Amino acid sequence: MSKIGDWIDKRTGLGGPIRGFLNYPVPKYVHQNVLYILGGLTLIMFMLQAVTGIMLAFYFDPSPEGAYNSVDFITYQLPLGWLIRGIHHYGSGAMVILVALHMLRTYFFSAYKKPREINWLTGVLLLFVTLAFGFTGYLLPWDQKGYWATRVGTQIAGSVPLIGDTLMQLMRGGPNLGQATLTRFYATHILLLPAMIALLIAVHIFQLRYHGMSPAITEKSKAQSKSFVPFFPYWVLNDAIAGLGLLALLVFLSATQRAPLEFPADPTSGNFVPRPEWYFLFYYQALKYVPGALEPVATVLIPLFIFGSMILLPFIDKGEERRPWKKPVTTIAAIFYIVVIIGFTVLAL
Ligand code: HEM
């Protein structure tokens, strides 16, 4: 192995950078805190999505006539198709949960503060790209729930003042949902978003390595911040064990409950109640409370306010204090959002 390594190193010069990457010193307070696994676990989840997604693409037929049957074939006839689709389906929900938990960890540890602003900003974009994966993937099986949820989702985009119509046309590829919509959603799902997420993850990880982990916040962890362990095998092993546990959970879910597939999309069935994937339910519920005239408030102002405050956060909260219990404003704001999102989701369920 070492001879092969030497041979490759002499020709590529990659040996040094790879050794540097693997030997990177990880502070003990990071290695010993399970909350720091969440970012790596999100990365593992993304890799699982990429692998299972490529496998699904070999059998998926991106046309309104063929999409449903191809997904039905994958789920019920293709050997182990149920497993691959199950991991991809449950994995999309797991990825949203992991991204959200990882974001909360970095938020409560004030890891967005100087000089890690770009780390946080790429993170915010990663959150939105993850949600966009969910939104575009939902339509692909071309079943009733995907079809009707996408109709409503694109209608919501259509209610944006001034540019709404153009936005809706752009998403649908015409006035109604059809082949053009499916092609656009598929291209976004398998080409545009993967390219964006790969680039964002690369910048995110590079930033992480450039600045190192944000400082310890408790006295106990501060005491451990002078001792280090190498990234490989210590942190890699932690993440690998957690990743195997996650995979086992996804296999279990896929085996006990097949990934859902409803009746084929029927544009004429007027009585189908549209409902989005569970992680968009809170928004769907919130829209119910908004009277028609105020729709732009819910579809434009509130999302813009949330996105804007996430982007501005590192430039507003610039103080030295990092302990959440000493920062009531940011802590209470986050708890408020968590309660609202969980509360609305439960109500919608
Ligand atoms: C695909 C999504 C993402 C991946 C793969 C990812 C990956 C990672 C990894 C591996 C780490 C180091 C380990 C850790 O802190 O857990 C990290 C750190 C960080 N992430 Fe992410 N992340 C993602 C999304 C996000 C989001 C949504 C945010 C916030 C909006 C975010 C903000 C940060 C920050 C600020 C750090 C630095 C933490 C520190 O220095 O303590 N990330 N990320």
Side-chain angles (χ1 to χ4, degrees):
M1 283 305 283
S2 97
K3 272 190 182 159
I4 296 174
D6 273 356
W7 190 92
I8 296 176
D9 184 27
K10 287 212 174 86
R11 274 140 197 95
T12 60
L14 283 176
I18 291 177
R19 265 191 297 276
F21 187 84
L22 295 178
N23 292 334
Y24 186 84
V26 177
K28 267 213 171 129
Y29 71 89
V30 169
H31 173 58
Q32 291 181 356
N33 187 337
V34 70
L35 295 176
Y36 286 91
I37 287 183
L38 292 165
L41 210 49
T42 313
L43 186 59
I44 293 175
M45 192 60 253
F46 166 65
M47 290 173 181
L48 281 173
Q49 289 301 88
V51 171
T52 50
I54 291 171
M55 289 174 165
L56 290 172
F58 280 118
Y59 289 91
F60 179 67
D61 174 355
S63 71
E65 300 75 34
Y68 182 88
N69 285 340
S70 66
V71 176
D72 188 79
F73 173 79
I74 292 169
T75 315
Y76 297 105
Q77 292 180 50
L78 184 68
L80 295 183
W82 59 271
L83 180 62
I84 301 303
R85 180 163 177 249
I87 293 178
H88 201 74
H89 170 79
Y90 292 111
S92 73
M95 177 127 175
V96 173
I97 295 176
L98 287 169
V99 169
L101 291 178
H102 167 59
M103 184 180 91
L104 287 177
R105 200 288 288 164
T106 61
Y107 180 89
F108 282 119
F109 284 36
S110 291
Y112 49 81
K113 291 196 174 196
K114 187 182 158 192
R116 294 177 185 75
E117 295 93 332
I118 295 182
N119 217 327
W120 172 260
L121 295 179
T122 48
V124 174
L125 295 179
L126 280 167
L127 172 72
F128 284 93
V129 170
T130 305
L131 294 175
F133 265 114
F135 181 67
T136 49
Y138 205 53
L139 175 72
L140 301 183
W142 207 253
D143 63 352
Q144 282 285 66
K145 79 182 161 51
Y147 179 89
W148 287 98
T150 307
R151 240 177 104 134
V152 174
T154 48
Q155 247 162 25
I156 293 175
S159 70
V160 174
L162 302 177
I163 54 160
D165 265 349
T166 319
L167 206 61
M168 190 169 84
Q169 290 266 348
L170 198 72
M171 291 167 97
R172 290 185 176 180
N176 294 311
L177 262 61
Q179 176 69 65
T181 326
L182 187 53
T183 306
R184 283 176 188 207
F185 273 55
Y186 189 51
T188 308
H189 194 77
I190 70 159
L191 296 171
L192 184 62
L193 295 175
M196 285 170 75
I197 203 168
L199 188 70
L200 287 168
I201 290 178
V203 178
H204 200 68
I205 305 281
F206 177 78
Q207 280 288 307
L208 190 74
R209 280 299 173 94
Y210 185 62
H211 295 298
M213 297 304 285
S214 56
I217 57 168
T218 61
E219 290 310 318
K220 188 174 164 233
S221 54
K222 275 181 192 153
Q224 287 179 320
S225 57
K226 294 274 179 296
S227 30
F228 298 87
V229 293
F231 175 70
F232 180 82
Y234 289 86
W235 198 349
V236 174
L237 200 64
N238 275 3
D239 275 1
I241 293 169
L244 282 176
L246 176 68
L247 181 62
L249 177 69
L250 295 175
V251 172
F252 172 77
L253 287 172
S254 311
T256 46
Q257 178 102 40
R258 290 279 181 274
L261 182 64
E262 301 203 351
F263 287 116
D266 176 6
T268 60
S269 66
N271 56 354
F272 188 83
V273 182
R275 51 173 205 287
E277 191 59 299
W278 64 264
Y279 40 84
F280 287 121
L281 275 179
F282 73 95
Y283 186 56
Y284 170 84
Q285 183 70 16
L287 286 179
K288 287 189 193 166
Y289 302 122
V290 180
L294 289 180
E295 212 178 30
V297 174
T299 56
V300 183
L301 285 186
I302 295 179
L304 265 186
F305 173 77
I306 294 175
F307 184 64
S309 41
M310 287 172 88
I311 294 284
L312 291 177
L313 176 69
F315 309 102
I316 296 173
D317 179 19
K318 295 202 291 195
E320 287 295 309
E321 187 55 74
R322 288 173 182 271
R323 293 165 297 178
W325 55 94
K326 296 274 181 191
K327 296 172 64 215
V329 177
T330 49
T331 302
I332 291 171
I335 293 173
F336 170 77
Y337 279 121
I338 296 170
V339 170
V340 167
I341 290 176
I342 295 180
F344 277 9
T345 306
V346 170
L347 281 174
L349 282 172

